Amino acid sequence: MTPEEIARINALAQKSKSAQLSPEEKAEQARLRKKYISAMKKSLSHQLDRTVIVEPDGSRRPLKRR
């Protein structure tokens, strides 16, 4: 996600606290939130895929999916 998209999410959140959002703004907010959540899940998944467990003997093994 771009910084502009994150700023827009925050702007819509602030506006929703002080005033009612139009249907177009609600749809935009939902679309941006969905994109943000997807990006965060992808980032976390990538980070976990690269995680290794260091055993007491110093050997390393990748973290397994369940």
Side-chain angles (χ1 to χ4, degrees), residues 4-53:
E4 292 81 18
E5 289 173 323
I6 293 172
R8 181 65 179 155
I9 291 172
N10 291 332
L12 288 170
Q14 287 295 325
K15 184 176 180 183
S16 71
K17 290 179 182 178
S18 62
Q20 194 100 23
L21 294 178
S22 70
E24 295 83 19
E25 289 172 326
K26 284 183 183 181
E28 179 185 13
Q29 185 180 39
R31 180 182 55 81
L32 288 170
R33 282 181 175 175
K34 187 180 240 185
K35 186 175 180 181
Y36 178 78
I37 290 170
S38 175
M40 293 304 296
K41 284 181 181 180
K42 185 177 177 182
S43 174
L44 178 60
S45 177
H46 181 68
Q47 183 177 1
L48 289 174
D49 286 344
R50 298 183 62 206
T51 301
V52 295
I53 297 173

